[in-house]
Amino acid sequence: MAWASTPKVVLGCFAFGVFWIMAVVPVVPFLPIGRTAGSLLGACLMVVFQVLSPAEAFAAVDLPILGLLFGTMVVSVYLERADAFKYLGHALSWRSLGGKDLLCRLCLLSALCSALFTNDTTCVVLTQFVLEVCREKKLPPQPFLIALASSANIGSAATPIGNPQNLVIAVESKIAFGKFLGGVVPAMVLGLIANTLLLLAYYWKKLRGVDEDAESRQAADTPDLGKSVAASTSTPDGQLTQEAGAPPLPRSISSSRHLQRPSLIAINEILRLEPRGSGHFQVPPRVELQDTPQASLTRFQRLRKKVWKVSVYLVTIGMLVAFLYGLDLSWTAITAAIVLMVLDFTDASGTYLRHWLHQVSYSLLVFFSGMFIAVRGFNRTGAPGQLWDAVEPHARINTAAGIAILSAVVILLSNVASNVPTVLLLGARVAASAAATEGASVKKAWLILAWVSTVAGNLTLVGSAANIIVSEQASRMEEHPYNLSFWNHLRFGAPATFIVIAVGLPLIQG
């Protein structure tokens, strides 16, 4: 594609730069408006600078992708209401054999959930639960947080509904759900195994939990609290007093009015994330009939609750089967969402159902709309076309060297411009190059782009939304918050990303 006029190139690149800065660094000191408003600002500038006409800007918004996003988000909301993620949490911690066993379970669970319910949803639901399990078992959070995010990204590469860039690829390439799944699953399985082994090797010592020697030394220096408490009596008002000759009580206990027993946190409570901030990662608190104590429900209400849960699971399974059968992705997801709303037997305009529909991330849908316009305007400048023209002769997918060069370009752009804009910028060009190359498969070109752009998100902390979700949720914990730093993530993410991509590429089926 030739360059546009000089004013259009300069203004279009400036508008895309505004969009990119706001998308990658949402809290800009001089313009703290966030990702969603930043996306709309970039789109608006494309029209104001006349890089796109208003009609071209509206035409750039991809309605099938927005419909698929909306439908899958509604289905995820109903699955959360039906306690699907609570049961997954039970599976994670049931009869765990230690830190290494828990890490392997988390990697598998995160990958499977992401393939079916998107990586963002998986990270939103499981982050707080993972931190609570680590605290209970005295394990360091860092390996498990990185395992959750990296496995979610790898698992999401297997299906068209696993992440937003795969949605774009599935709609643009028209690859059927089953063929997409069969083409990427072998790479996903081997990549997940490689990533899990790398996590175990890198964090082997940390996964042993609390240092037993240090724990024993601490026990030797600490008075026997059991004996101290046993040797004490309680006055009628709850104040502890000591018997004669008993070892002194620690100050923190002797000065307290009551001995507090540590409470067990129910899985259902762990999975409730309080909404904070304006990001699209938050899940509002659950307030509904299902929170009513079981004993207070009538027999009919309990039966209705069970039937409703089974119905949600059956509708979700039906949606996945329809995807595999090759039906339209967007309308299938929207139909499943509407069926679940109908099964609620509640007025959609009423307070009850409106509360649950508010969990749908409308800000994400608006962000995507602005991004479509910003990317279309940037394409009109001719800059992406010129870049691809320089790289394309060396990035043919019919040779190993060409695949390596293409992967390097996609990894770089995915971490600089984010993975969805990278797919929008390069997708059609990579497919056209494959179609013009003898012995190359267009389907394989699209699937390579899906695999590399998704796993590339594991390179840095800002490489994917899933990483940011895990980091923000961990840092905002009310009790025992944990800060997953950029460099701690990079030290593992950089080598692991290249290894996982490399082992998976030969297994991509064209």
Side-chain angles (χ1 to χ4, degrees), residues 153-203:
N153 286 328
I154 294 171
S156 70
T159 64
I161 60 173
N163 56 62
Q165 63 268 20
N166 279 13
L167 297 178
V168 174
I169 290 172
V171 173
E172 295 292 330
S173 68
K174 296 180 173 56
I175 299 175
F177 189 96
K179 292 183 178 179
F180 195 110
L181 185 68
V184 183
V185 158
M188 185 272 283
V189 172
L190 187 58
L192 180 64
I193 293 172
N195 189 68
T196 304
L197 292 176
L198 290 170
L199 284 164
L200 290 172
Y202 190 81
Y203 293 110

Side-chain angles (χ1 to χ4, degrees), residues 24-35:
V24 176
V25 189
V27 186
V28 179
F30 59 87
L31 196 64
I33 60 176
R35 284 190 176 93

Side-chain angles (χ1 to χ4, degrees), residues 413-487:
L413 290 178
S414 295
N415 282 274
V416 172
S418 188
N419 39 32
V420 179
T422 296
V423 167
L424 289 170
L425 289 171
L426 293 185
R429 292 180 172 84
V430 171
S433 174
T437 303
E438 185 178 355
S441 167
V442 175
K443 174 190 168 186
K444 185 175 182 179
W446 281 110
L447 295 182
I448 287 175
L449 184 61
W451 171 251
V452 177
S453 63
T454 300
V455 181
N458 287 339
L459 182 66
T460 65
L461 189 61
V462 296
S464 76
N467 300 345
I468 298 173
I469 290 170
V470 170
S471 176
E472 288 193 359
Q473 294 284 8
S475 64
R476 293 181 180 184
M477 285 281 289
E478 293 183 359
E479 297 182 4
H480 307 284
Y482 182 82
N483 179 33
L484 180 61
S485 70
F486 180 90
W487 296 111

Side-chain angles (χ1 to χ4, degrees), residues 43 47 52-63 66 369 372-373 376:
V47 177
L52 294 174
S53 68
E56 289 172 332
F58 283 120
V61 178
D62 199 320
L63 293 179
L66 296 182
S369 300
F372 288 137
I373 298 172
R376 177 70 64 86

Side-chain angles (χ1 to χ4, degrees), residues 242-258:
Q242 279 188 269
E243 294 180 356
L249 282 169
R251 182 177 180 180
S252 59
I253 294 181
S254 61
S255 61
S256 64
R257 293 183 57 85
H258 301 283

Side-chain angles (χ1 to χ4, degrees), residues 227-228 230-232 241-249:
K227 293 180 180 180
S228 298
S232 63
T241 60
Q242 279 188 269
E243 294 180 356
L249 282 169

